[in-house]
Amino acid sequence: DYCRDHEAIEFSLRTSVDGLKIDVPLWVNAEDLSVQESLDTQQGRHVASNSKVRTLGRSYYLEVQKDSAVPECWRKDDVFDAIDDSRNSGHIVPGKVIKLLKDLVVAAIVHCKNHALIGPGDLCAMDLNKESLQILLQVQCGLKMAHFNIVPVVKRQGDTIKLERKQKGKVRGFLQDELQAAITPNTDLVPATHHQWRYSSSQILRKLFDLVDTLGGHRLNSLSILDRVNNEYWLEEGKGLYFYHLKIVLFWATEMFPSPEDWDDLEASVYRLLVILLCCLATKNLPDFLYPDQNLFQGVDLDLSSLYNKVEEFANKPEQFLKIHITHQVAKRNQRVENGIKTLLQLPANDGIYWDTPYFDILLNKLTQKWK
């Protein structure tokens, strides 16, 4: 049963519980703040633009107008930088907000320990002296030790971000009304640097993930299986695919294989994710689901060739990675990913027209023929 709040869904799905993200909304009416794009050429130098276009890739200041209704507590030095300007009194600084939040978290932990509300080792804040844009909490959850990233957010209702997926017509596999509601952002601003904020896609991706959950079938079970195999076999010294990468693969698989019957069988569902993942690793390109022209493998410290070989090995003989018991015998089978399929996997690198359902149907059919 995955029908719970988003963090609980991820907690139940994931083998690794590192980096679960928890938002902490600021207690301020965000509509009273002025969002101005940063034109800084160096850190800490406040230069803003009046542009009304909002994008995920840029940095912004949260300015407080002199005549705004923002409470005085948000104009104090512990969260605020004053500037000499005729209209603005200054801006809220994310680095200062995080510092204040760290102090509050530590004080809360000390209070709980002093009143025996938590036991030794149940909860602790990590790396408090590091310059970071989030706070790492280590929490004992049964037999698991979970790590939560606490991130301050400013939630705004009035801003609209242009998303490429909204401009490219119907997205298959999703109920269109619900999809449009999911990718119409109630935008979140999160820390980008010590001085600046950025718009976050996390809220949109959460809505999409919850939407996938409602579609039924073995979509989330398939994701959970690949996450377990990734954590147990594909990681090298802690480096490899993130759960985030696998979620994006799930979104693409949901679009490329839109029929509910595609997800009735667990093994076939896993292979639907695998053909997308193998193609992305072979071409060294995982398109962002919201901005398909952006490659999520770009700039990430991953050995994609080595990862491809590991994923291919799993696709060829999944049984040896999914032993239920020590007595479980793995049947001998022929290779499922042969040279002809490897050649097909490279096609989207040369022509984006192949990134579509018919292409992935052919790939899937060639793989599944090997089962019979």
Side-chain angles (χ1 to χ4, degrees):
D1 177 15
Y2 300 127
C3 299
R4 286 159 279 178
D5 63 271
H6 185 83
E7 287 78 14
I9 292 175
E10 285 208 8
F11 186 79
S12 62
L13 280 173
R14 294 173 61 169
T15 300
S16 166
V17 284
D18 287 343
L20 291 167
K21 184 170 174 283
I22 303 291
D23 292 340
V24 178
L26 301 193
W27 195 358
V28 61
N29 182 1
E31 311 313 313
D32 290 336
L33 300 170
S34 173
V35 179
Q36 300 293 332
E37 183 185 344
S38 168
L39 300 178
D40 293 8
T41 55
Q42 61 188 48
Q43 286 295 325
R45 183 169 173 265
H46 184 106
V47 182
S49 162
N50 290 322
S51 172
K52 300 301 181 183
V53 178
R54 308 303 188 200
T55 67
L56 293 176
R58 298 177 184 173
S59 298
Y60 297 86
Y61 287 109
L62 279 179
E63 296 181 346
V64 178
Q65 305 285 332
K66 287 188 173 179
D67 58 353
S68 78
V70 174
E72 192 61 32
C73 63
W74 290 103
R75 303 173 191 251
K76 293 184 177 179
D77 289 342
D78 57 353
V79 294
F80 189 73
D81 271 359
I83 59 173
D84 184 13
D85 186 88
S86 59
R87 295 186 305 111
N88 302 323
S89 56
H91 63 106
I92 296 175
V93 182
K96 290 187 175 184
V97 171
I98 292 171
K99 172 64 170 62
L100 177 60
L101 186 56
K102 283 181 181 179
D103 293 342
L104 293 171
V105 167
V106 170
I109 292 174
V110 170
H111 173 84
C112 290
K113 286 181 177 178
N114 289 342
H115 291 79
L117 299 175
I118 56 176
D122 283 352
L123 174 65
C124 61
M126 310 289 290
D127 301 328
L128 291 176
N129 294 324
K130 285 187 177 180
E131 290 291 331
S132 176
L133 299 178
Q134 56 195 13
I135 302 168
L136 176 60
L137 280 187
Q138 184 172 281
V139 184
Q140 186 71 43
C141 299
L143 297 177
K144 289 183 178 180
M145 183 60 78
H147 294 85
F148 294 91
N149 293 324
I150 309 299
V151 180
V153 302
V154 176
K155 295 186 174 292
R156 287 176 61 88
Q157 304 294 324
D159 295 342
T160 299
I161 298 176
K162 289 179 65 177
L163 298 174
E164 288 184 15
R165 295 318 304 263
K166 293 181 71 174
Q167 317 303 324
K168 297 192 175 183
K170 187 174 181 179
V171 178
R172 299 177 303 279
F174 295 88
L175 297 174
Q176 294 306 300
D177 290 344
E178 294 184 10
L179 177 67
Q180 289 303 314
I183 64 177
T184 301
N186 292 326
T187 48
D188 291 349
L189 285 153
V190 298
T193 68
H194 179 84
H195 294 276
Q196 299 153 338
W197 302 82
R198 64 177 176 83
Y199 284 101
S200 169
S201 63
S202 294
Q203 182 85 338
I204 306 169
L205 294 176
R206 286 178 184 179
K207 291 178 182 178
L208 282 174
F209 192 74
D210 293 342
L211 186 54
V212 169
D213 185 19
T214 65
L215 297 176
H218 286 288
R219 291 172 176 84
L220 296 192
N221 291 329
S222 301
L223 175 65
S224 185
I225 287 173
L226 288 190
D227 179 62
R228 176 174 291 277
V229 174
N230 178 48
N231 277 275
E232 294 183 355
Y233 297 103
W234 298 346
L235 296 181
E236 287 186 7
E237 298 179 352
K239 290 184 178 180
L241 295 171
Y242 297 113
F243 188 72
Y244 174 77
H245 292 135
L246 297 178
K247 280 201 297 187
I248 298 299
V249 168
L250 173 63
F251 294 153
W252 281 118
T254 298
E255 177 175 356
M256 297 301 174
F257 302 104
S259 173
E261 292 77 18
D262 289 337
W263 302 92
D264 285 344
D265 178 76
L266 178 58
E267 184 175 11
S269 298
V270 171
Y271 270 86
R272 281 172 168 78
L273 268 67
L274 277 175
V275 294
I276 304 288
L277 181 56
L278 282 168
C279 180
C280 293
L281 291 171
T283 58
K284 295 180 169 53
N285 179 29
L286 172 57
D288 188 301
F289 193 71
L290 300 176
Y291 292 87
D293 291 338
Q294 295 183 11
N295 179 8
L296 296 179
F297 287 155
Q298 192 75 37
V300 180
D301 185 16
L302 292 175
D303 185 343
L304 297 176
S305 298
S306 174
L307 262 173
Y308 172 86
N309 292 332
K310 292 178 180 180
V311 176
E312 182 188 286
E313 185 181 8
F314 174 75
N316 280 324
K317 295 182 179 179
E319 298 91 346
Q320 71 183 23
F321 298 91
L322 300 172
K323 288 185 177 180
I324 299 170
H325 190 270
I326 194 170
T327 60
H328 178 197
Q329 298 296 313
V330 177
K332 292 185 178 180
R333 293 187 179 180
N334 295 327
Q335 293 286 103
R336 299 181 181 180
V337 185
E338 296 178 339
N339 288 333
I341 297 177
K342 292 180 182 179
T343 302
L344 281 175
L345 287 169
Q346 296 286 347
L347 291 178
N350 303 317
D351 191 339
I353 196 173
Y354 289 102
W355 188 261
D356 206 350
T357 296
Y359 165 75
F360 285 108
D361 275 337
I362 293 172
L363 277 179
L364 186 66
N365 286 336
K366 287 187 173 293
L367 281 176
T368 53
Q369 284 173 5
K370 304 295 181 180
W371 305 349
K372 300 171 182 176

